[in-house]
Amino acid sequence: QVQLVESGGGSVQSGASLRLSCTASGITISNACMAWFRQPPGKEREGVATIASDGRTTYADSVKGRFTISQDNAKNTLYLQASSLKPDDTAMYYCAAAGFYSGTIYYTKYAASCRGANFGAQGQGTQVTVSS
């Protein structure tokens, strides 16, 4: 059974940095397209960043140059380094893995691109609050 557990969120002031972590079990993140999403209060979930199996990354325009997605395959852990945080970055942050369920088993596959990926597994989230 896949489990994604996020941590590292907190309440910080504008301009500060945080490193979010997502520890995965039940899947091998190097064999999946992984992503960070966020949901600001009262708004819909939005994509933040993705990382494909070959390490290619994409970012939302709103975070380009400030956030960096990475992964440690030995630890099976995904990261999001968030720098120069702004109040608009306040949200619940979720990590997700692309794949599909067959029964109770979650299947992923090596992906050179995350374009069109279906992120069927998501963690419980970690809250980031940025004050001005």
Side-chain angles (χ1 to χ4, degrees):
Q1 186 174 2
V2 60
Q3 278 197 316
L4 302 171
V5 181
E6 301 95 335
S7 61
S11 296
V12 297
Q13 292 198 322
S14 185
S17 298
L18 285 173
R19 188 175 82 154
L20 308 184
S21 300
C22 170
T23 301
S25 60
I27 62 169
T28 301
I29 65 170
S30 61
N31 197 43
C33 173
M34 301 294 296
W36 286 97
F37 292 86
R38 67 185 182 185
Q39 186 163 17
K43 297 183 179 180
E44 293 187 352
R45 189 181 79 159
E46 60 187 25
V48 176
T50 67
I51 184 165
S53 301
D54 64 355
R56 298 185 199 190
T57 58
T58 66
Y59 296 93
D61 288 344
S62 58
V63 306
K64 275 182 185 175
R66 299 188 300 120
F67 289 15
T68 302
I69 188 172
S70 63
Q71 60 191 50
D72 184 332
N73 293 334
K75 295 182 178 179
N76 213 32
T77 298
L78 181 73
Y79 300 102
L80 184 70
Q81 179 68 44
S83 303
S84 302
L85 284 162
K86 307 174 182 179
D88 283 349
D89 295 318
T90 295
M92 184 72 81
Y93 283 72
Y94 303 89
C95 72
F100 63 93
Y101 278 101
S102 179
T104 60
I105 299 175
Y106 193 72
Y107 291 92
T108 64
K109 65 176 182 179
Y110 186 94
S113 170
C114 293
R115 183 182 293 274
N118 176 50
F119 293 95
Q122 178 177 290
Q124 84 291 345
T126 186
Q127 178 68 39
V128 172
T129 302
V130 185
S131 58
S132 57

